[in-house]
Amino acid sequence: MTPPLNPSSSILIIGAGTWGCSTALHLARRGYKNVTVLDPHPVPSPIAAGNDINKIMEHRELKDPNSDPISVAFETCTRAALNGWKTDPVFQPYFHETGAIVSGHTPELIKHIQEDEIDPTKSEHLVKLKTAEDFCKTMPPGILTGDFPGWKGWFNKTGAGWIHARKAMVSAYTEAKRLGVTFVTGSPQGNIISLVYENGDVIGARTEDGIIHHAQHTILAAGAGSDRLIDFKNQLRPTAWTLCHIRMTPEEAQQYRNLPVLFNIAKGFFMEPDEDKHELKICDEHPGYCNFVPDPQHSGEIRSIPFAKHQIPLEAEARARDFLSDTMPHLVGRPLAFARICWDADTVDRAFLIDRHPEHSSLLLAVGGSGNGAMQMPTIGGFIADALEGSLQEELKRVVRWRPVIAVHRDWRSTQNRYGGPFKVMDFQEVGENGWTKIVESAKSRL
């Protein structure tokens, strides 16, 4: 039976990343007085996916209101998130509604976008881009200077742009603390070693310093590291993506302000330079990397186990520069100022997993961002709080439920309908020691 819940109930959140901070904030706003968050790193964690200068935020209305349940649920979440980015004072300063371009460079990719990504009949703000000149005109002169070989795209001017994910996460953390949430971060005091059980239920977590943090309700929101703490029955696959920064001059950073996001679904994307360090973020697009190694926690079974690294494979750097050669060739030769791999957890169907554990009624799971978690920051904590209270709306509840049945014969190397790179999931184990960038500036000094 689900334990009773009231404003005085002790609630433990494991993970102080995007979803953990959002959940802490929403619980505090609802009047819960005894909320504690554990994380092995101070906020913002250097390994959190949300510790990033920018992420894409885009809400698209469905072509068909009777679409599949996963699409309907995702639209519900992004619609709520967009409203949160626009109206919630904790998050509103960090949303830049500059618009977004989605594009492809082969007939197959362009057809996919037309059929699955956009609906030209439903938006007067959608502009079709047919030529290199069309792309270049979406930004001030001198920014897009490439030939855009084979590219075609659509420019969505409203309901889309980018978020400063790191600042938004810190803002949520700061407000949650102001409202009374306790954050225990850093190692060993915030480093969770294991969940703690009693009579078959979860009663809290043990940290590296030996302390047991008891709680009537525990929320596991540790992102790609979540399956190190409990068996998800193959429902989560830690998957990583790659990002890099190019340093710009202050004058260039000013020139590149307020630009739309430019996203090619198989080559990569970029957003305007960070206002603090004047660095332009470039991502190559691909189905993801895994780190397939024998897992001692699962009898030596081959699993993808996350690790932190503030470098990227040289092949990823080459893909990022290929994207630049098509779009901004004047930047192709610039050295990288920063790079990192960025982990998330993929569910089989890429729908979130927000549900009580079927065997441990005090444990709520809030995982499976599947590459779309950061944009949900303003409101995902509200949906998680709804699940804790047993009031999550039915169309979401059906989709984000505990569902190991669909993971029984999981293809761990499935691309999950993602494009780019070699059009397959890659393995960090196949990247040799000399196959990584060697950017000198340390991540620690920057973060």
Side-chain angles (χ1 to χ4, degrees):
M1 293 181 61
T2 303
L5 181 68
N6 60 63
S8 298
S9 296
S10 55
I11 303 171
L12 181 66
I13 301 173
I14 298 176
T18 299
W19 285 20
C21 287
S22 179
T23 303
L25 174 61
H26 279 270
L27 289 174
R29 284 175 166 178
R30 295 188 185 192
Y32 291 96
K33 306 296 184 185
N34 192 3
V35 179
T36 300
V37 185
L38 300 176
D39 197 282
H41 300 279
V43 179
S45 165
I47 64 171
N51 186 356
D52 199 351
I53 60 173
N54 46 42
K55 298 282 191 186
I56 296 173
M57 171 63 218
E58 185 171 17
H59 169 65
R60 299 185 192 131
E61 295 291 335
L62 291 173
K63 289 183 178 181
D64 180 2
N66 298 313
S67 295
D68 65 278
I70 293 176
S71 296
V72 172
F74 185 68
E75 186 197 39
T76 297
C77 290
T78 57
R79 184 187 299 112
L82 179 62
N83 182 64
W85 287 115
K86 287 185 171 184
T87 62
D88 190 326
V90 170
F91 299 101
Q92 187 274 334
Y94 311 110
F95 174 49
H96 302 260
E97 194 174 7
T98 56
I101 298 165
V102 60
S103 57
H105 62 285
T106 68
E108 295 78 12
L109 295 171
I110 294 164
K111 180 181 178 182
H112 165 75
I113 296 170
Q114 288 177 305
E115 293 179 349
D116 299 322
E117 299 283 338
I118 55 98
D119 183 3
T121 66
K122 284 192 173 182
S123 177
E124 61 184 13
H125 304 289
L126 209 59
V127 178
K128 189 170 184 179
L129 309 175
K130 301 178 181 179
T131 67
E133 185 180 14
D134 290 340
F135 279 94
C136 294
K137 285 181 178 178
T138 64
M139 302 185 192
I143 292 178
L144 298 181
T145 58
D147 294 333
F148 290 84
W151 286 49
K152 296 202 180 330
W154 289 262
F155 182 14
N156 180 13
K157 294 186 177 182
T158 63
W162 62 277
I163 57 173
H164 199 301
R166 180 189 304 152
K167 290 183 178 180
M169 182 165 59
V170 171
S171 180
Y173 157 76
T174 302
E175 179 65 4
K177 277 188 68 175
R178 188 188 72 81
L179 293 174
V181 174
T182 299
F183 285 81
V184 180
T185 62
S187 186
Q189 65 274 11
N191 187 20
I192 305 93
I193 299 301
S194 65
L195 298 178
V196 178
Y197 300 86
E198 185 177 279
N199 298 324
D201 202 0
V202 172
I203 61 167
R206 178 183 285 103
T207 46
E208 187 182 357
D209 56 4
I211 293 177
I212 295 177
H213 298 262
H214 290 90
Q216 293 165 292
H217 297 266
T218 300
I219 301 173
L220 179 55
S226 297
D227 74 343
R228 312 308 301 153
L229 294 172
I230 198 166
D231 185 1
F232 276 87
K233 309 294 184 185
N234 297 338
Q235 291 177 89
L236 294 187
R237 182 189 71 184
T239 311
W241 284 270
T242 43
L243 64 88
C244 55
H245 295 181
I246 293 172
R247 185 168 292 114
M248 313 288 278
T249 67
E251 294 74 22
E252 287 174 325
Q254 184 62 36
Q255 180 189 5
Y256 281 61
R257 289 288 301 277
N258 300 317
L259 301 181
V261 175
L262 175 59
F263 177 37
N264 181 303
I265 65 170
K267 284 212 167 186
F269 59 90
F270 91 98
M271 285 166 272
E272 66 180 72
D274 174 41
E275 62 187 358
D276 298 317
K277 295 185 179 295
H278 305 143
E279 292 179 1
L280 185 74
K281 172 183 160 183
I282 309 291
C283 290
D284 60 311
E285 187 65 16
H286 51 74
Y289 282 90
C290 289
N291 182 45
F292 289 119
V293 295
D295 186 353
Q297 293 186 14
H298 293 89
S299 304
E301 179 184 343
I302 300 298
R303 293 284 189 103
S304 178
I305 298 181
F307 65 96
K309 195 172 185 71
H310 290 273
Q311 303 287 343
I312 59 174
L314 292 173
E315 61 190 12
E317 179 186 4
R319 289 190 295 263
R321 294 193 185 281
D322 179 62
F323 170 81
L324 286 174
S325 70
D326 280 6
T327 60
M328 296 178 285
H330 56 286
L331 298 179
V332 167
R334 297 256 184 123
L336 300 185
F338 176 71
R340 67 177 282 211
I341 59 176
C342 181
W343 290 92
D344 203 348
D346 278 333
T347 60
V348 178
D349 53 12
R350 293 183 63 187
F352 305 147
L353 173 49
I354 304 172
D355 197 5
R356 294 271 182 183
H357 193 284
E359 298 174 8
H360 314 297
S361 58
S362 297
L363 177 63
L364 179 72
L365 308 168
V367 297
S370 300
N372 293 307
M375 71 169 71
Q376 311 295 337
M377 197 186 313
T379 47
I380 193 66
F383 291 123
I384 294 168
D386 288 344
L388 186 72
E389 296 172 343
S391 61
L392 187 63
Q393 56 200 79
E394 194 58 37
E395 64 268 28
L396 283 180
K397 186 177 180 180
R398 288 196 305 270
V399 170
V400 302
R401 72 193 185 282
W402 175 266
R403 49 194 187 279
V405 64
I406 67 172
V408 171
H409 301 294
R410 181 168 193 174
D411 177 4
W412 290 99
R413 295 181 183 270
S414 169
T415 63
Q416 298 190 301
N417 297 317
R418 294 186 176 107
Y419 300 93
F423 285 82
K424 67 177 184 179
V425 171
M426 295 163 284
D427 188 350
F428 283 129
Q429 291 297 307
E430 297 174 1
V431 179
E433 182 179 347
N434 295 320
W436 295 82
T437 57
K438 293 180 173 58
I439 301 169
V440 175
E441 186 177 9
S442 73
K444 183 177 179 180
S445 68
R446 303 183 68 264
L447 296 177

